[in-house]
Amino acid sequence: MAQSLSGSVPALAGWSVEGSLPILAVVIVAGLGTTLLFAVSLAAYRRRRRAQYRLIALAVGALLARSVVGAGTVLGVVPMPAHHLIAHSLDFLIAALVLYAVYAHAPGSVGDESASD
């Protein structure tokens, strides 16, 4: 069992998400909701065909991938260290995509196609 720096066993040392049905249920519901949001973001991109909609669809797709990683962790396919590396990398990617979509495609910005209209 892992010990803390003080040498005592932490209160949650034996707690694991692997095989937890309640956590799996939450991840599945979140995944279903995210799948719906991803479908809507793809529909918006197909309708508008603009770069900012593509960036948002990619961000929501990364959010969906995060749910898949979470389910894989609960099912024992993705080890917890890999889960943290992948999930936090996806968090960064999601934030970067959304911020770039806002920054690069703000009205009057260099990437804004409607600024010259």
Side-chain angles (χ1 to χ4, degrees):
M1 204 174 259
Q3 292 187 344
S4 67
L5 294 176
S6 66
S8 63
V9 177
L12 299 175
W15 192 80
S16 173
V17 299
E18 189 173 327
S20 172
L21 291 179
I23 293 177
L24 182 59
V26 168
V27 171
I28 288 172
V29 169
L32 291 172
T34 306
T35 300
L36 178 63
L37 290 175
F38 184 55
V40 170
S41 70
L42 286 176
Y45 171 65
R46 284 187 57 165
R47 184 173 182 187
R48 300 288 182 175
R49 297 280 186 196
R50 309 250 339 240
Q52 64 265 39
Y53 289 90
R54 181 176 55 242
L55 290 167
I56 296 301
L58 287 171
V60 178
L63 191 61
L64 178 58
R66 202 175 185 291
S67 292
V68 171
V69 169
T73 303
V74 175
L75 294 172
V77 177
V78 178
M80 191 56 81
H83 166 91
H84 282 291
L85 177 64
I86 296 167
H88 291 303
S89 296
L90 288 170
D91 289 340
F92 176 80
L93 178 64
I94 292 164
L97 287 169
V98 170
L99 290 174
Y100 182 72
V102 170
Y103 177 78
H105 301 283
S109 67
V110 175
D112 184 32
E113 298 165 5
S114 64
S116 61
D117 292 343

